[in-house]
Amino acid sequence: MSLPFYQRSHQHYDLSYRNKDLRTTMSHYQQEKKRSAVYTHGSTAYSSRSSAARRQEAEAFSQASATSYQQQASQAYSLGASSSSWHSQGSEVSRKTASAYDYGYSHGLTDSSLLEDYSSKLSPQTKRAKRSLLSGEETGSLPGNYLVPIYSGRQVHIGGIRDSEEERIKEAAAYIAQKTLLASEEAIAASKQTTASKQSTASKQSTTSKQTTSTLQREETFEKKSRNIAIREKAEELSLKKTLEETQTYHGKLNEDHLLHAPEFIIKPRSHTVWEKENVKLHCSVAGWPEPRLTWYKNQVPINVHANPGKYIIESRYGMHTLEISKCDFEDTAQYRASAMNVQGELSAYASVVVKRYKGELDESLLRGGVSMPLSFAVTPYGYASKFEIHFDDKFDVSFGREGETMSLGCRVVITPEIKHFQPEVQWYRNGAPVSPSKWVQPHWSGDRATLTFSHLNKEDEGLYTIRVRMGEYYEQYSAYVFVRDADAEIEGAPAAPLDVVSLDANKDYIIISWKQPAVDGGSPILGYFIDKCEVGTDTWSQCNDTPVKFARFPVTGLIEGRSYVFRVRAVNKTGIGLPSRVSEPVAALDPAEKARLKSHPSAPWTGQIIVTEEEPTEGVIPGPPTDLSVTEATRSYVVLSWKPPGQRGHEGIMYFVEKCDVGAENWQRVNTELPVKSPRFALFDLVEGKSYRFRVRCSNSAGVGEPSETTEVTVVGDKLDIPKAPGKIIPSRNTDTSVVVSWEESRDAKELVGYYIEASVVGSGKWEPCNNNPVKGSRFTCHGLTTAQSYIFRVRAVNAAGLSEYSQDSEAIEVKAAIAVPSAPYDITCLESFRDSMVLGWKQPDTTGGAEITGYYVNYREVIGEVPGKWREANIKAISDAAYKISNLKENTVYQFQVSAMNIAGLGAPSTVSECFKCEEWTIAVPGPPHSVKLSEVRKNSLVLQWKPPVYSGRTPVTGYFVDLKEASAKDDQWRGLNEAAIVNKYLRVQGLKEGTSYVFRVRAVNQAGVGKPSDLAGPVVAETRPGTKEVVVSVDDDGVISLNFECDQMTPKSEFVWSKDYVPTDDSPRLEVENKGNKTKMTFKDLGTDDLGTYSCDVTDTDGIASSYLIDEEEMKRLLALSQEHKFPTVPTKSELAVEILEKGQVRFWMQAEKLSGNAKVSYIFNEKEIFEGPKYKMHIDRNTGIIEMFMEKLQDEDEGTYTFQIQDGKATGHSTLVLIGDVYKKLQKEAEFQRQEWIRKQGPHFAEYLSWEVTGECNVLLKCKVANIKKETHIVWYKDEREISVDEKHDFKDGICTLLITEFSKKDAGFYEVILKDDRGKDKSRLKLVDEAFQDLMTEVCKKIALSATDLKIQSTAEGIRLYSFVCYYLDDLKVNWSHNGTGIKYTDRVKSGVTGEQIWLQINEPTPNDKGKYVMELFDGKTGHQKTVDLSGQAFDEAFAEFQRLKQAAIAEKNRARVLGGLPDVVTIQEGKALNLTCNVWGDPPPEVSWLKNEKPLTSDDHCSLKFEAGKTAFFTISGVSTADSGKYGLVVKNKYGSETSDFTVSVFIPEEELRKGATEPPKGNQKSK
């Protein structure tokens, strides 16, 4: 048989599973071939020993095997009823084993080979072993050279492979049955023999084998009939049955509901019959929560151990209660009762003790030896007694040890009657779990003494140890605690060793280790832990982590698949490294899927090999996506994912690929690229702490890779587990002379709590010592080993994987001495009701309670006949809790006296004084009896609170309510007045409206359907006043947001106690409240204030003169307190502004935020991408605590600066933070802006533009291009360009105002283009460019048009000769400005009669020849390209009439102007002519009708003559002729034309000159002519 490929590569793998006694399977196979004796039918080995000797050895071997099987089977208690079949199988296997043993001798096997091989064959099966139950046919089909693998391990037990201890026990028990069957039925492998001589020898041996087999069969038949076999089988059956029953009971207790439940007797006391002068013990065990208090009674009378010193011994240790009666006499014959009581009720169990007097001779030695005779005795057919008495003598007590030491616990077990050859079943338990033998602890039973030996104590061994001895149907147990102190540290001040190092999870390449933190840190805080690993089979330890880890869980990576490892942990503080912890159980680095396969399909006994089989690939389907993917655990070191396999996956196996993705990105990365996983869970390492991830999983097989699963929720890498809060309300109570019971309130909201450490300190010493070194769960622990009469204080801290909590507050000091005392006697016994055969009594509570609350009362009564009292009798068997009781079965008309005794946990107190005589007679009616225990509290000047208890006798129908009456103390009885008109259901009433200083008395009456009953006893008198120093309940909310009610009393006595109530009902057991008392102060804390907590809360102080106070919490108050709690619980640093970023000059980046207020101790952490950054060359930080401004500066933004920036503020307890995310486009934009600003700064070092080139439209609708310049000087030049051509500017700018402008008037399309202005001097140059084309030009034109439209004047009406004109003026007109006219809301259609146009700056609408239809409202709309601007005028009514009249007038005037006489031209203004010359002038005139013509000279008419000829021809032309001019002709002439429409005069001047006089006259100008119109 060839080894699998895996084992060929790792032949040393199995070394990790065994010690020096174990060998690898490969070497084992090689040794098997060399052995002289093997299990084969063809072996030549033969023994000559006698068959008788062999049979004797076989029988001894069989018996030993059966005993071994019985001990192993007793551990298989968790299999349930299905294990009952093991008995018969085991017995049968035992016989077959003996037969096989004898059979081996018949084939010549030597002793050593037989015993060695059989011991190997029957060795325990490990957890990874596979079952291989082969039949004979199957064995025959095996190869001839197949060898059965033999497992010889017997010391090292491999742990940590299975998921629970219960599965381990199940497998161990299953292996017992499998092992024996394998030893008897599995075919023995045979080796081929090649020589003929060997075949002959085998034939001879075959013959001998057949003879021996027949002999064995006869012997087996004989053994079946043997009585020894029958007894043994019966014993095994009984033992197994009892084990199963015990297991079922044990697990039933483990699974019990831990809520409150009434007492239950697990073990009831049994009756005894003893002889005089003997001792007898009654035992019982009680379960319940809270832990019941047990009291012993004799004939219904509590047993007082102090009344008869030495007679009774009562013990209660770890749940086992005993009553020992010393030297019994005849009077001890009685019925004894054990009464268990807690808040849920009371339960009793009874046992009888019969004391016999021996009349014959008595062996005194028996009495001195304390021998106890059983009550009954009988023998079963199998030799068992029908009843056993089990006693423990020489018992172990509370023990103290130290790490590394040895310790032995033991006690002598006395069992009567004694049955030979039948030993009891002895089982040890630690903290309720069975103790299994190991190299650390070994149990031993010597026949009468049971011991448990610790070879090397560890802190893991600390706990409550219980020995349980079972005999038949009976068992007894005893318990005591074992404390283990830390070993001395090698380095003084180093921490103690951690404990309980276990594996939480394992896979191919990692194992998660957890541990518990030690209680002792060496005097300085523990900085962390180092984890060491060691491969099983080697002695080399290697450290797994370079830096200490604080979290008590750590994933160890870098392991070799299939190998086993053990681990240990060391703690470190500033002093050094402490001692290592105890080594963990071995754990293998295996894939969970492989481990599950090995668990579900076990094969042959484990050999240290991993058998890997590879299935032939088959054509399949691509698997679907996994489902239910979730993050099951997340810490700062690793994240564990789990999912469910897909439904669609075919018939072949699937593997998984895990992918991760950073939040905010969509880039998925495969995590396990080289090693796909087979199991539906995976741990991811090397994640960035504080970073957020998402995960998904894909499936793959031979067909391909499937679709991914749904992604997980966003997971932030970090520890999710918080350190628990400190426990509260540490209360020590006395227990014994050397121990104190410490109880506490468990930590609030604690997750994965491991337990608690308790420390004690002598008052005033300042030195704390641990009381336990293994964390304890629950809220109660008994601290042993204290000094008697010494005062101690205690404190507690909680622990989980995240660390240890803060210490609780120190408890009050307590003196170590015996526990509490009994209460004092009640008093003031009164008769509340009397019936024909019963009476109702009431009394007042004792003044002192003995240090514990009163748990009940017992009432005794006696008859009084003729003033002679009779014998006292018990009225109640069970204790009563109320201070009132109805005594029945009395005699009518008989006088009785009564006594009452109070009881607490310490016992029954002294009885009260005898009451006065009360006669039992009928004086009841159908109405209820009087309420009782009326109490006044919270007395103030105007109010008080009245409380009472309901009547014992409710009448014929239930009580439905109460009436309260009051009167002044001095008033008469007829002055009672009721406080409530309708009956109230509550048993309390707040009385308001009292007069200050007035004394009052009160009474209460109950009512039912029959009517109102008798009033109660008077309460009072009480004076309505607020006493000096009276304090009220104050509500407070502390810094942690905890809401509490607080009360302080300065008048307390040593016996006073605070009693809190809600609606005047005590709140002792309320799970929603927590009460803490310290000195004269008390505080009641709300665990989670809600609507269930609404009500009136009051605090009463006992043993005072009614000191009390209350506080009302209604819905409004609750809301106020919750809001205040939230504010205190999570205080924040208020901010004025959140984190922001801005770019400074030079491109610097400033991150800043502002808090409203910062103290001098405020600290700020600067976080970039979840890592803290500090001040340096790149970052500059500054905090202004006065203004609250927090700043961080960066010189330049680079690509690696993209990410998330956070400022974390810590100001005392208050915290605050603000985050700014700069990624993607946001960061790129900011980076670009920073670079721009840096370049801008460089630019501004020379002449530059403070404001770049821009345009604006002036009020005159001109376009002004402007820019603002800076850093200029006289030599600085400015040049304007349009379309890269320089624009000459007439005037030179002086730069005084820093504004440069270019004005473009009447801007139009021709002005479109690219404008640029350049500044330059010797320091550099800067330019600004403005684009005025396309959209930019259109925007500018729109603005220009808008300005033009806005400059339009209101519409005016103008009459013309042609008609009526509507017009408006603009600054100037552009074609881009669209003009639309409308008339009465309808657009105007333009015709020859109605026209629109623009003349210059006038926009007009001309209506020629207007008619009445043209009346109405006219609107001119100017559209600038985006918006329409309207001007309106109303042309109707008077406006139209006036305009039309004016039109008519102008029209006529125009006609007249057109037809009037006028000179068209031809006459000069001045005629200069030489004397003697002829003057001819021609002039054209016009007029309709033709005008009349006349001439003037010097304003006088001129007529035609020979010298001056005046002609007018054709009504159009006038002629003026002077034939020869002379100086007399000089003058002013005028032509006058005239018709009926008008006249016109045209003047001209004639100047005649003489040539020789020209120079003399000079340049005298003649007068100019002119024209006049008439």
Side-chain angles (χ1 to χ4, degrees), residues 703-771:
V705 180
E707 292 296 323
S709 67
E710 293 184 0
T711 60
T712 63
E713 297 291 337
V714 175
T715 300
V716 180
V717 178
D719 293 334
K720 304 299 183 185
L721 187 63
D722 296 328
I723 296 177
K725 295 182 180 178
K729 196 178 179 181
I730 313 302
I731 301 177
S733 57
R734 297 191 181 104
N735 188 42
T736 67
D737 288 341
T738 59
S739 65
V740 168
V741 176
V742 178
S743 61
W744 57 89
E745 287 287 343
E746 298 191 21
S747 301
R748 297 192 301 271
D749 303 327
K751 297 180 179 179
E752 299 183 23
L753 189 66
V754 174
Y756 297 91
Y757 283 121
I758 301 93
E759 295 184 0
S761 174
V762 177
V763 174
S765 66
K767 183 179 180 181
W768 292 91
E769 295 291 341
C771 296

Side-chain angles (χ1 to χ4, degrees), residues 1193-1212:
F1193 299 91
M1194 296 175 62
E1195 290 295 329
K1196 186 178 181 181
L1197 281 181
Q1198 300 177 349
D1199 293 342
E1200 58 267 22
D1201 297 323
E1202 181 178 5
T1204 302
Y1205 293 83
T1206 302
F1207 287 5
Q1208 294 181 351
I1209 309 172
Q1210 182 74 40
D1211 195 355

Side-chain angles (χ1 to χ4, degrees), residues 513 515 527-533 541-557 567-572 577 637:
I513 299 300
W515 61 90
L527 302 178
Y529 301 88
F530 287 111
I531 297 87
D532 304 330
K533 73 173 185 292
W541 287 93
S542 60
Q543 187 170 297
C544 301
N545 54 317
D546 297 330
T547 58
V549 294
K550 282 195 172 184
F551 203 77
R553 282 201 294 266
F554 184 76
V556 180
T557 57
F567 302 90
R568 69 184 185 187
V569 182
R570 297 170 293 155
V572 60
I577 302 177
S637 304

Side-chain angles (χ1 to χ4, degrees), residues 44 207 286 336 502 616 651 905 913 929 1109 1217 1247 1296 1426 1445 1463:
T44 58
T207 304
V286 185
Y336 291 81
V502 296
E616 290 294 328
H651 297 288
I905 191 173
T913 57
S1109 181
H1217 75 278
K1296 288 183 179 180
K1426 292 183 179 179
V1463 178

